[in-house]
Structure formats: C-alpha cells, structure tokens
Amino acid sequence: MSQLQRLEALTLEKIAVRVVDEKTIGFVGSISLRVPSDVFRPYFSDVHQAAVSDGLDELIVDFTALDFMNSSSIRVLVTWLDWIAAEPEAKQYVLHFRTNAATTWQQTTLSVLQTLSQNHVKISSANP
C-alpha cells in the first residue's frame, strides 16, 4: 500500500477530501472556511510528503465534484506548489487537476495557478 493510500479522509461540514487510489485525491462539496489553511495546510502537507515518499511524478487532484473554493483556500494550493518547487528536482511532481468543464471558477483559477507554476500544474477537463 502506498503512503498516499494510508492517509485518512478529511471530512468537514461541507467538504470531503479522500484518497481515491495510489495517485489520486478527490474533493466533494465546497470549501468556504474562513481560515482554510488551519485545516488544509496540514492535510496537503501530508499528501505532499506521501507523494514524495511514493516517488510520484504526477498527483491527480480531482475537482470534478468540487462546487466552490474560496480565495483563501486557493492560497493553500499556491503554498503546495511552493513545497513541490522546493524539493530536489528528482522528487518534484505535477499536480494534475481534473476539473468539471461546466464549473467556470475552476478553469479560471487553475489557469492562473498554471501560469504561476507551469512545470508543476496540469489541467484536464471532464464534461458533467
């Protein structure tokens, strides 16, 4: 079993994040926490460490069932990209965001993340 698969799901009032398989985490619901970094930063740090330990070259982040993510939550994604960039090149990986093509905020927000970190962000869209 991979380190990623050993991680527990994160379940809060309106959001659930769980490991789907050895290289995918999935989000369901909406993230509107006032200070999301208190919850998501430690969780994403654990996911990051697991991805590095597992030697992943790509980690799929499935947003297809994520309805909303506030701007404070997006900042935590930027921090995650900083962690990846700080790793030795051989341990860096790509965050592959799977998005819902009908959810406009995902396309807009993630394209900005991709601009900030072209080597570490990939985006693919699925039709609802």
Side-chain angles (χ1 to χ4, degrees):
M1 180 181 288
S2 72
Q3 293 298 315
L4 187 65
Q5 290 176 298
R6 294 176 195 272
L7 295 178
E8 297 288 323
L10 174 64
T11 305
L12 301 170
E13 186 177 318
K14 297 179 184 178
I15 183 72
V17 184
R18 68 179 180 88
V19 175
V20 177
D21 60 35
E22 68 277 353
K23 65 176 187 172
T24 307
I25 60 171
F27 288 68
V28 176
S30 64
I31 304 172
S32 56
L33 299 169
R34 187 174 190 157
V35 185
S37 61
D38 290 349
V39 175
F40 287 103
R41 188 177 177 133
Y43 187 76
F44 290 165
S45 178
D46 290 346
V47 171
H48 168 70
Q49 291 304 321
V52 169
S53 293
D54 291 344
L56 297 181
D57 58 354
E58 178 178 273
L59 175 66
I60 298 168
V61 181
D62 189 341
F63 275 5
T64 55
L66 183 64
D67 300 321
F68 176 76
M69 179 180 245
N70 64 10
S71 59
S72 298
S73 302
I74 294 163
R75 176 65 188 120
V76 180
L77 294 177
V78 172
T79 299
W80 190 352
L81 290 169
D82 290 342
W83 295 333
I84 295 169
E87 292 291 337
E89 192 170 332
K91 294 185 177 263
Q92 293 180 12
Y93 57 93
V94 171
L95 288 181
H96 178 173
F97 292 96
R98 284 193 186 148
T99 64
N100 182 331
T103 308
T104 306
W105 73 265
Q106 291 179 1
Q107 310 310 313
T108 305
T109 300
L110 296 175
S111 65
V112 170
L113 282 180
Q114 190 171 39
T115 301
L116 293 172
S117 187
Q118 294 178 0
N119 294 332
H120 301 115
V121 175
K122 178 179 175 182
I123 303 167
S124 62
S125 296
N127 292 326

